[in-house]
């Protein structure tokens, strides 16, 4: 399973990249706004900087803000031309599916975002999306089963032989990461805090303390 970090914060991206286990980055307009990035030129430069930080062969999702086919195609082409890592992130709406089908024909990678149902997942796979982003946390937020949705999509994609990668998004904690892996996700995109949370285990801390204390005693 690939690990993406879900942020536009350059320090978080650097920290995740330095761990040596980072496969890519996802962003969205809210995450860009949170970092105070606004204005077309600044936004495009920020995407380029992210691509340079993560290095070659690591996908970076950049989201279109148009909601019509023509606008999405124009924006998507501009984004894709920025850097070879860029994946055009397109919302799961009618015009978005048309745009994904178009980008697929043009050989441009896509990430279909704002996915909340198995039916939407089928549409995105039919259009040839590279990635599908079901929002686990936001489904959980309304008392539905986010991880159950990943399992359902995995079963359908497996049976139908769809090649779209399931990118579990809206991950909120380390347990979501483990559950997404068990449910068959190909990728998880998560805040840095959720990735760092995977390290935590009290027995690791106790064990390390004891190993170091024993070494000190033996080598005093
Ligand atoms: C995915 O790519 C989305 O941008 C993101 O995971 C949404 O997460 P949130 O529900 O925590 O905002």
């Amino acid at each position: 399973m690939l690990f993406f970090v879900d942020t536009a914060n350059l320090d978080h991206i650097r920290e995740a990249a330095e761990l040596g286990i980072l496969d890519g980055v996802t962003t969205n307009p809210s995450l860009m706004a949170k970092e105070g990035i606004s204005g077309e030129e600044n936004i495009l430069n920020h995407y380029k900087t992210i691509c340079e930080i993560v290095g070659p062969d690591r996908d970076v999702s950049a989201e279109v803000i148009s909601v019509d086919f023509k606008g999405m195609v124009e924006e998507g082409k501009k984004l894709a031309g920025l850097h070879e890592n860029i994946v055009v992130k397109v919302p799961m709406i009618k015009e978005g599916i048309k745009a994904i089908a178009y980008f697929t024909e043009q050989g441009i990678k896509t990430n279909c975002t704002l996915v909340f149902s198995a039916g939407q997942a089928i549409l995105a796979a039919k259009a040839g999306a590279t990635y599908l982003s079901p929002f686990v946390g936001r489904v959980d937020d309304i008392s539905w089963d986010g991880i159950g949705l990943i399992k359902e999509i995995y079963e359908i994609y497996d049976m139908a032989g769809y090649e779209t990668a399931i990118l579990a998004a809206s991950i909120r904690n380390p347990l979501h990461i483990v559950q997404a892996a068990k449910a068959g996700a190909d990728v998880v995109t998560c805040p840095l805090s959720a990735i760092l949370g995977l390290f935590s285990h009290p027995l690791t801390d106790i064990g390390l303390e004891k190993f170091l204390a024993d070494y000190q005693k033996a080598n005093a």
Side-chain angles (χ1 to χ4, degrees):
M1 186 175 70
L2 300 181
F3 266 52
F4 289 3
V5 69
D6 191 29
T7 184
N9 181 293
L10 300 183
D11 290 335
H12 287 192
I13 295 168
R14 274 191 204 98
E15 189 173 339
E18 280 164 11
L19 286 174
I21 56 162
L22 186 67
D23 300 299
V25 177
T26 54
T27 62
N28 64 38
S30 306
L31 293 171
M32 294 292 273
K34 192 173 163 193
E35 299 308 316
I37 313 298
S38 62
E40 192 185 357
E41 205 185 324
N42 291 336
I43 291 173
L44 297 181
N45 282 336
H46 201 74
Y47 286 138
K48 272 202 256 179
T49 306
I50 293 174
C51 291
E52 281 154 19
I53 292 173
V54 297
D57 302 323
R58 287 178 169 80
D59 286 346
V60 173
S61 288
E63 188 158 343
V64 297
I65 44 149
S66 301
V67 289
D68 64 298
F69 174 76
K70 197 167 163 281
M72 285 181 188
V73 165
E74 259 169 44
E75 258 191 83
K77 280 182 171 173
K78 194 180 270 187
L79 289 167
L82 276 180
H83 195 282
E84 59 187 14
N85 290 9
I86 293 285
V87 172
V88 182
K89 202 172 178 192
V90 178
M92 165 40 74
I93 53 176
K94 259 193 200 170
E95 296 290 290
I97 286 298
K98 275 161 65 178
I100 289 171
Y102 172 85
F103 289 133
T104 303
E105 266 194 32
Q106 300 292 310
I108 293 173
K109 286 186 180 182
T110 54
N111 175 354
C112 184
T113 189
L114 290 166
V115 171
F116 295 92
S117 77
Q120 293 177 327
I122 292 171
L123 288 172
K126 290 289 293 174
T130 316
Y131 296 104
L132 177 89
S133 290
F135 279 31
V136 172
R138 292 194 198 184
V139 172
D140 285 358
D141 288 345
I142 57 158
S143 300
W144 286 34
D145 181 4
I147 292 296
L149 175 62
I150 301 289
K151 282 186 195 153
E152 193 183 7
I153 295 170
Y154 174 79
E155 277 172 29
I156 293 169
Y157 277 20
D158 194 41
M159 272 189 281
Y162 291 139
E163 285 175 10
T164 298
I166 303 170
L167 191 167
S170 186
I171 293 288
R172 300 279 165 75
N173 54 56
L175 184 59
H176 269 160
I177 298 177
V178 175
Q179 289 173 325
K182 284 170 74 179
D186 300 290
V187 190
V188 274
T189 188
C190 17
L192 180 65
S193 58
I195 299 177
L196 296 180
L198 292 174
F199 284 100
S200 300
H201 200 291
L203 292 180
T204 303
D205 300 339
I206 293 166
L208 183 59
E209 202 179 317
K210 173 98 170 70
F211 285 158
L212 296 180
D214 287 346
Y215 175 88
Q216 288 303 338
K217 251 187 265 164
N219 292 276

